[in-house]
Amino acid sequence: MLSRIREDIACVFERDPAARSTWEVVTCYPGFHALLIHRLAHRLWRMKLRWLGRFVSHCSRFLTGVEIHPGAKIGRRVFIDHGMGVVIGETAELGDDCTLYHGVTLGGTTWNKGKRHPTLGRGVVIGAGAKVLGPIVVGDGARIGSNAVLVKDVPPGATAVGIPARIILGEQDKTREEKAAKLGFSAYAVTSKAEDDPFAKAVQGLLDHSVDLDRRMELILKEIEALKADKESALSATRWGDRKVAGK
């Protein structure tokens, strides 16, 4: 138990630059408190003391603003930053080293009993306000963008953004997102199938054209720099030749 607590404190320092001391983490981090109380609630739940487990979970929600069902399975070194508004459902499963920011929901999409909440692999990061819904699987090392609404599986190492969330896998998609950020707006809402949406197709075309122009400008600048270097070397060679002639 003490080793788990030490791990939880260490992971706070690794992922939150605002953490200044162990005492601050122990006394002022609601995500840390919520995970500690959840371990007690989860143990009671597994002992078939269901009402007591729910009551402990309810008290934790009141104290921390984080609602974790006592039936949820949470791995080691999970970090809930800020914590307010985080909801984790009964059949949710979180792998080791996951990070959740405030307002994240790991919810269900059906009233049927059984597996109805997400399963997160190791090292998954979910941005503030994201909603991950249904019995889907988010692969190891995947990232879910802030305010995304995810209702389908995400492969390991991929990034999902938007409403509904789309998976960014290709270099072209990544380039579009980077360019959109430089231009001061988010391309998260652009669907992955632009042919289904004329507006999305137009936005993607503009982004691709802008990226192409940037590449051409870089090539032109490189050529100009190369010409400058050649000119300077030619001038220096001419001056050296003039000095040799004058010396004779």
Side-chain angles (χ1 to χ4, degrees):
M1 181 178 175
L2 289 176
S3 65
R4 292 286 296 271
I5 292 174
R6 291 192 190 98
E7 282 184 349
D8 291 339
I9 294 173
C11 82
V12 172
F13 283 106
E14 289 173 3
R15 301 178 220 174
D16 186 5
R20 292 177 175 81
S21 67
T22 300
W23 179 246
E24 181 183 8
V25 173
V26 171
T27 57
C28 301
Y29 275 68
F32 172 75
H33 301 153
L35 291 171
L36 281 182
I37 300 173
H38 171 71
R39 292 196 187 113
L40 172 60
H42 185 63
R43 179 167 295 184
L44 294 170
W45 186 264
R46 294 182 62 185
M47 293 169 62
K48 307 299 182 181
L49 300 173
R50 300 296 170 84
W51 177 87
L52 189 56
R54 286 300 301 269
F55 183 74
V56 171
S57 173
H58 179 71
C59 293
S60 174
R61 175 191 180 191
F62 177 77
L63 293 171
T64 66
V66 179
E67 182 173 348
I68 308 176
H69 192 284
K73 298 177 182 178
I74 299 180
R76 303 172 76 99
R77 298 176 300 279
V78 171
F79 177 44
I80 301 176
D81 196 7
H82 296 292
M84 183 60 68
V86 169
V87 177
I88 301 176
E90 177 186 3
T91 60
E93 299 178 42
L94 284 72
D96 298 340
D97 303 301
C98 288
T99 301
L100 277 60
Y101 290 89
H102 57 279
V104 167
T105 298
L106 304 182
T109 56
T110 178
W111 290 345
N112 299 327
K113 293 184 180 297
K115 178 64 174 173
R116 59 190 186 279
H117 297 97
T119 297
L120 309 185
R122 295 173 58 94
V124 173
V125 178
I126 304 183
K131 314 302 176 189
V132 184
L133 307 175
I136 61 176
V137 176
V138 181
D140 295 349
R143 294 174 177 268
I144 313 302
S146 297
N147 294 318
V149 178
L150 183 67
V151 292
K152 61 182 180 180
D153 293 349
V154 178
T159 298
V161 295
I163 304 174
R166 62 188 182 89
I167 298 170
I168 300 176
L169 287 174
E171 288 299 321
Q172 187 177 27
D173 280 338
K174 292 179 181 178
T175 304
R176 284 173 181 159
E177 296 295 339
E178 292 171 359
K179 184 60 182 178
K182 289 180 181 178
L183 293 174
F185 74 96
S186 171
Y188 289 172
V190 180
T191 63
S192 58
K193 295 182 179 179
E195 63 272 14
D196 297 338
D197 184 351
F199 176 76
K201 188 173 182 179
V203 172
Q204 286 190 357
L206 288 172
L207 288 172
D208 292 342
H209 180 64
S210 181
V211 169
D212 185 54
L213 286 177
D214 285 348
R215 288 173 180 165
R216 291 187 180 186
M217 287 293 295
E218 288 178 3
L219 289 173
I220 291 171
L221 290 173
K222 287 180 181 178
E223 290 293 332
I224 291 173
E225 292 296 328
L227 289 172
K228 283 183 179 178
D230 291 342
K231 185 177 179 180
E232 288 176 359
S233 61
L235 285 173
S236 61
T238 302
R239 289 170 185 163
W240 176 252
D242 292 343
R243 288 175 185 172
K244 288 180 71 176
V245 171
K248 290 180 180 178

